[in-house]
Amino acid sequence: MMSRNSATAALSLPTALGWDFGDYPYALEPLTLPHPGEPWLADGTAGEDLTESCRELLTAAADGALVTPPATAPELERLFWFRWITGHHISFVIWRLIAARLEQLAAGHGDRAAIAREITEYVRAYSAMMLYTGSSTREIYNDTIRPSMYRMHSTFSGTWAADYAAVRGLFRGRRLPPVPDGEADALAREIALSQRIHLGVAAKLVVDGRSLLQHLVDNPPERQPRVWTSVFDCYFLTLRAPVSGHEVLAQLLRRCKAVAMDLAANGLYPRVADYTGPTPEELCTPETLTCESELSDIVLRVAALATGCPPLR
């Protein structure tokens, strides 16, 4: 069980410099989210302290001050495990941010064009997180990561993610939300890119070429046992508690900083990693390669967007 001090630190804002995520570089922290359906995000949630913390993060990144030692070959398993868990944590928060904006559109609140642009940015950030979590070598994925899911449950599936249900329709491309015509094409392109990246990452890592989120996603069970979502949360170190939007966004900032430091030190594909086999065609398109090259910038943009921090001039 976490101590009170550890739990408080995991919900606090990141420091401006230095690795302060977990107990050492590429360590983990639990993520605390509200239960699905509980309101958590409202206008003005960020607050000046979050905005200022994000501004410090952007400044440090621009100055090249986000420095941590690169992972060595013996540390690769820990690095890719960090990416697997932490990248999923960011994805869970992104899903909630998208769901909140979809609710705004459905209720007819706010500037529809601005909300559509936010959703498009968040969809792109989710694509970036799929590339990030999928950056493991095939050997480490199949020897370490995938078996760990099987040990939790023999039919472990991404469909058990409690926060994904609210955005499943969007990512499956079934129907675009009511966005202005001028924003619809950009959103549709990002959704299509996320689908291609999902397929590409699965083809790269999984022996049978199918990701866990693809299993049953087209025909999810009508009634999903609550224990499945609990197993999913347990595996991904996700706690459910009545936390505020401020605390959720502080946790997002902590993870965005850690990911930015990792990418600055190691790149998306670390030099000491042994990548064998061909790269799937879905990961070789110009759109995917652009997303890869911009990954660090995308992570910082989503932090700024979520906290209301304007970009640096």
Side-chain angles (χ1 to χ4, degrees), residues 134-166:
S135 61
S136 169
T137 64
R138 190 166 187 172
E139 179 183 11
I140 290 177
Y141 179 81
N142 284 286
D143 289 351
T144 301
I145 296 175
R146 192 169 174 87
S148 70
M149 290 180 276
Y150 183 86
R151 284 193 292 269
M152 288 294 293
H153 197 289
S154 62
T155 61
F156 192 95
S157 169
T159 62
W160 299 355
D163 302 296
Y164 187 69

Side-chain angles (χ1 to χ4, degrees), residues 254-276:
R254 292 181 66 81
R255 284 155 179 79
C256 287
K257 178 193 171 188
V259 168
M261 294 184 75
D262 165 23
L263 292 171
N266 300 293
L268 182 59
Y269 301 111
R271 293 181 182 178
V272 293
D274 182 15
Y275 292 98
T276 58

